[in-house]
Amino acid sequence: MMRSRFSAFSVGDTAYLLRTWHPDTRPPHLTLDPRTHWTHLEILETTGGSPFHTEGTVRFRAHYTQHGTQAHLEEHSHFTRHAGTWVYVGPTTP
């Protein structure tokens, strides 16, 4: 799920991003900055997420370039099954 969402960010597929976002935390719309170019994703840690789980987390680092500067975003994300499908809930809270 995390890799497909990263790919959707990379190609600007906001419909997919919204569709794979839990309805309780999903924003009403999503606008991506076309000047942000997502370059690669590192999965740093995962918990749960197997066919036997209903929840899971992914800690990741997403690399991007914006205005010619390289940077990254790091997050520990929470995912859950909703209507039989894995969806993004949001960042985990410490």
Side-chain angles (χ1 to χ4, degrees):
M1 169 58 57
M2 186 66 237
R3 292 183 196 284
S4 67
R5 285 183 54 85
F6 176 81
S7 294
F9 272 104
S10 296
V11 299
D13 189 349
T14 56
Y16 179 82
L17 292 167
L18 291 170
R19 191 170 55 254
T20 59
W21 207 315
H22 195 282
D24 291 347
T25 58
R26 176 177 49 223
H29 66 278
L30 185 61
T31 303
L32 302 178
D33 186 342
R35 297 169 296 179
T36 302
H37 301 282
W38 297 96
T39 57
H40 67 281
L41 176 69
E42 293 177 78
I43 302 296
L44 305 173
E45 176 185 1
T46 63
T47 64
S50 80
F52 304 105
H53 293 106
T54 57
E55 296 193 19
T57 65
V58 177
R59 190 168 66 87
F60 69 91
R61 185 176 299 129
H63 297 264
Y64 64 94
T65 303
Q66 188 174 50
H67 304 291
T69 302
Q70 293 181 357
H72 69 271
L73 165 75
E74 193 166 323
E75 180 178 297
H76 196 180
S77 298
H78 178 220
F79 290 85
T80 191
R81 287 190 191 269
H82 178 74
T85 303
W86 284 105
V87 292
Y88 172 74
V89 177
T92 61
T93 53

